[in-house]
């Protein structure tokens, strides 16, 4: 019998620890050697014509008897599966998780302690509210879910890019999502929080106050999935070999820094390039600019659970980093794009309930509800055997007596499918063999539909967040509220919300009210404690070192461009692993000054937009600049890039062109022979190779910050 079990196990598992090999077994490559067949393997002679009764001069009816045509149409008719009820829009990639320094005082989980391991992972990023086809850059929370294919089973860490949540108790999830999704009568608006129902709910649920401050901040308009932090949000537990337990929050911080789009860019990109984030991730991985995150935890010993003025099991609260610092000990790298979107990114399915020995849950009421919801939703989305799908199956052995159901895939040999059985087959594992054992937590209390006292305080951390923001971040938050509440037509909604803002900051409330209407109180309705905390302002995360690696740089040219400046800039950007895009008046040969060189631009001025790049560079050239000066769109490129705080470089005749486009007295575009930088505009009359390097360096710094 054990032989049979071993064989069956082999059929289910991949080669140990290696998810790529496991997936390779199910992956087919298309080639010109392939011949078209039906799903049942019979070769087909035509993919163009349905079987018909026909003759040369008369077209007769199509025949229902044609099994080939019927199969194609039937398969097509059933291609769609339900999209995720939230987080429907997303992108994903494979990667690796490595432990750099073992936190064995916190946990015995090998995935978090074994420094010799490389655990394969799949990460799916997402927006929350939009449908599968919605735009990437909308204002929204981003999902950041990691599936760790560990030797001890799959561990799913289903996090977001914001460390807190709207609600404390999972029972409210349907309400917060219904209120945020398109309204029920007309299914409007798509992928937006800017509507009556969302803000009506926020007002009626004071516990959402902290979270909506984050959602109105620049965190909700990331520049790239690669430039977002990730947070497990809920409170988990780690168990060490001595049996000691810590409460933990998982944190992952990108080495590229935390950066956002400005709102105007995000709005425009939603139309100009709805796949902006999806493409950005793909492009970076293809260019081998592998995104990386430092991975760590905030940990609180079990004995200290009640030492804080907030409940550490409340998902609407952060653990301020001055009280509980983050301890980084591992790194996460994404290094391989998926082969096929549907079978990998769409079919991947996460469950917060899936943890491995050494990692556990807490009594966080949001987490406990989530632990029910995820498995359940996968059944309706993918079917009960969803864990057998290639992207979801573990790389370690799987064996049990869960059987049958729709689309059961595994064939298990043996005459019994229950335990205990006369063969002693498929016995429960011992602790030594790696069994998951629940922590023996002592629980006592009365059953009640209630939350503990500290869960009732809802404003303190909303103020903490606001107090900590830099002035620039505050301005962006004010503008976000002004935009959102302006989209609420019902005065009850925006007037009440303006009042609610006075619970956080009276300046915020009055400034927003001036724009959207409403009558806020004259004074703050709640005293501000004045506290700030580290780890909240994005400015604290500029990145490990300034880099233009994987940043897009547009080089604007026209006939007569200066080939020396062009080549130098293109070369410098490529050498720094940035992604240069040449933009010209047409996607056909553009001749340099002197006619010795030519370039075929990647895009033309109308086909691409400044929103899609991080910086622009314009080489001089008398004729080229004459053309750009009479081209409204080329001027718009410069103005818009400047308005979005992007680095702009110009040499030779392009200096005057940029100067004219910007035309702001505060910005001095220098006439200097040397490289000169002002407001992120880098200019040089006469180029020198060194000066260009300066320009690229300055561009690095500038693109890093906005
Ligand atoms: Fe959730 C998906 C993150 C609360 C119920 N959630 C989902 C995804 C992420 C999160 C990243 C997408 C996973 C993927 O890429 O497939 N959710 C969170 C976070 C939460 C949270 C960080 C708060 C701490 N979620 C939450 C609650 C419930 C759900 C309270 C229900 C009680 N979430 C779901 C779901 C989804 C989901 C309906 C939809 C698709 C899926 O699970 O697989 O079950």
């Amino acid at each position: 019998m054990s032989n049979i079990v071993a064989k069956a196990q082999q059929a289910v598992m991949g080669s140990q620890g290696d998810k790529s090999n496991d997936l390779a077994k199910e992956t087919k490559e298309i080639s010109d050697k392939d011949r078209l067949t039906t799903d049942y393997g019979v070769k087909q002679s035509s993919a163009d014509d349905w079987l018909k009764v026909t003759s040369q001069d008369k077209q007769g009816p199509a025949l229902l008897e044609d099994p080939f045509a019927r199969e194609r149409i039937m398969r097509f008719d059933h291609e769609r599966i339900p999209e995720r009820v939230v987080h429907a829009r997303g992108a994903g990639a494979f990667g690796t998780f490595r432990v750099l320094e073992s936190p064995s005082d916190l946990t015995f989980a090998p995935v978090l302690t074994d420094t010799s391991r490389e655990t394969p992972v799949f990460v799916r990023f997402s927006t929350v509210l939009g449908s599968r086809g919605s735009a990437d850059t909308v204002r929204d929370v981003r999902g950041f879910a990691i599936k760790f294919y560990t030797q001890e089973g799959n561990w799913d860490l289903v996090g977001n890019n914001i460390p807190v949540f709207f609600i404390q108790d999972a029972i409210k999830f349907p309400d917060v999502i219904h209120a945020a999704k398109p309204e029920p009568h007309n299914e409007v608006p798509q992928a937006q929080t800017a509507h009556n129902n969302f803000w009506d709910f926020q007002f009626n649920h004071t516990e959402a106050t902290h979270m909506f401050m984050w959602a109105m901040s620049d965190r909700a308009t990331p520049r790239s999935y690669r430039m977002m932090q990730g947070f497990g949000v809920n409170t988990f537990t780690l168990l060490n070999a001595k049996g000691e337990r810590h409460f933990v929050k998982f944190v992952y911080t990108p080495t590229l820094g935390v950066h956002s789009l400005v709102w105007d860019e995000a709005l425009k990109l939603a139309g100009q390039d709805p796949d902006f984030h999806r493409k950005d991730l793909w492009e970076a991985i293809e260019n081998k600019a592998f995104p990386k995150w430092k991975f760590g935890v905030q940990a609180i010993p079990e004995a200290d659970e009640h030492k804080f003025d907030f409940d550490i099991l409340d998902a609407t609260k952060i653990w301020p980093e001055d009280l509980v610092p983050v301890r980084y000990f591992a790194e996460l790298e994404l290094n391989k794009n998926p082969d096929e979107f549907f079978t990998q990114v769409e079919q991947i399915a996460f469950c917060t309930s899936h943890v491995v020995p050494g990692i556990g849950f807490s009594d966080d009421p949001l987490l406990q509800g989530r632990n029910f919801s995820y498995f359940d939703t996968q059944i309706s989305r993918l079917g009960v055997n969803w864990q057998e799908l290639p992207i979801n199956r573990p790389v370690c052995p799987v064996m049990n007596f869960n059987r049958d159901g729709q689309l059961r895939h595994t064939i298990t040999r043996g005459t019994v499918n229950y335990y205990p059985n006369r063969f002693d087959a498929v016995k429960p594992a011992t602790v030594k063999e790696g069994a998951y054992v629940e922590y023996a937590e002592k629980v006592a209390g009365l059953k009640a539909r209630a939350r503990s006292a500290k869960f009732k305080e809802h404003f303190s951390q909303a103020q903490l967040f606001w107090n900590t923001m830099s002035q620039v971040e505050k301005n962006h938050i004010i503008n976000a509220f002004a935009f959102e509440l302006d989209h609420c037509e019902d005065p009850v909604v925006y007037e009440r919300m303006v009042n609610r803002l006075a619970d956080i900051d009276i300046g915020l409330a009055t400034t927003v009210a001036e724009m959207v209407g409403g009558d806020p109180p004259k004074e703050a309705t709640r005293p501000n404690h004045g506290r700030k905390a580290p780890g909240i302002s994005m400015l604290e995360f500029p990145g490990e070192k300034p880099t233009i690696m994987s940043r897009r740089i547009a080089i604007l040219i026209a006939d007569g461009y200066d080939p020396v400046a062009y080549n130098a800039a293109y070369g410098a950007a490529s050498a720094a692993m940035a992604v240069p895009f040449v933009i010209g008046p047409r996607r056909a040969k553009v001749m340099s000054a002197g006619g010795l060189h030519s370039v075929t631009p990647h895009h033309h001025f109308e086909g691409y937009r400044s929103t899609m790049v991080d910086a622009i560079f314009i080489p001089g050239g008398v004729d080229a600049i004459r053309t750009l000066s009479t081209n409204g769109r080329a001027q718009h490129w410069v103005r818009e890039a400047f308005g979005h705080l992007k680095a702009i470089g110009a040499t030779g005749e392009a200096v005057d062109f940029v100067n004219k486009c910007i035309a702001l007295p505060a910005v001095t575009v220098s006439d200097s022979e040397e490289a000169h930088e002002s407001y992120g505009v880098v200019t040089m009359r006469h180029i020198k190779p060194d000066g260009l390097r300066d320009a690229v360096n300055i561009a690095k710094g500038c693109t890093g910050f906005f």
Side-chain angles (χ1 to χ4, degrees), residues 84-87 124 126 143-145 158-160 165 167 170 173 231-234 315 348-350 366 369-370 373-374 377-378 381:
R84 288 169 175 82
V85 59
V86 281
H87 295 264
R124 183 172 179 273
S126 47
F144 193 151
V158 197
N160 279 343
F165 204 60
I167 49 170
F173 192 67
F231 303 93
V233 181
N234 289 119
I348 194 154
F350 298 87
L366 195 71
R370 292 181 77 193
S373 180
Y374 288 71
T377 204
Q378 311 313 352
R381 205 165 70 81

Side-chain angles (χ1 to χ4, degrees), residues 4-167:
I4 293 172
V5 171
K7 275 193 184 156
Q9 280 178 347
Q10 244 172 13
V12 182
M13 65 193 251
S15 68
Q16 281 277 348
D18 186 343
K19 191 63 189 169
S20 308
N21 284 347
D22 175 43
L23 289 175
K25 286 187 298 196
E26 304 252 353
T27 309
K28 295 183 191 174
E29 191 92 35
I30 56 166
S31 85
D32 59 359
K33 308 241 165 16
D34 289 322
R35 291 296 172 263
L36 187 70
T37 76
T38 60
D39 281 345
Y40 50 94
V42 171
K43 293 200 178 82
Q44 285 180 259
S45 64
S46 164
D48 297 323
D49 288 300
W50 197 302
L51 193 64
K52 298 180 203 75
V53 179
T54 186
S55 65
Q56 280 220 319
D57 50 356
K58 180 157 171 40
Q59 178 64 51
L63 297 174
L64 199 56
E65 75 172 49
D66 182 352
F68 299 164
R70 283 203 325 261
E71 182 186 90
R72 277 170 73 94
I73 301 302
M74 284 190 299
R75 284 300 310 271
F76 173 75
D77 290 344
H78 298 277
E79 274 179 8
R80 296 287 172 271
I81 62 168
E83 66 172 32
R84 288 169 175 82
V85 59
V86 281
H87 295 264
R89 169 77 184 172
F94 292 95
T96 318
F97 180 78
R98 287 181 213 95
V99 178
L100 304 174
E101 220 176 289
S102 170
S104 53
D105 55 319
L106 297 179
T107 178
F108 62 82
V111 60
L112 294 178
T113 52
D114 184 347
T115 50
S116 67
R117 274 197 193 188
E118 287 209 339
T119 302
V121 298
F122 190 91
V123 169
R124 183 172 179 273
F125 300 104
S126 47
T127 51
V128 181
L129 298 177
S131 294
R132 251 189 89 180
S134 57
D136 282 344
T137 59
V138 296
R139 174 176 297 284
D140 199 354
V141 180
R142 299 298 186 285
F144 193 151
I146 313 175
K147 190 180 282 291
F148 299 81
Y149 301 96
T150 88
Q151 314 261 324
E152 292 74 36
N154 286 354
W155 171 34
D156 294 346
L157 183 53
V158 197
N160 279 343
N161 74 330
I162 287 179
V164 285
F165 204 60
F166 290 105
I167 49 170

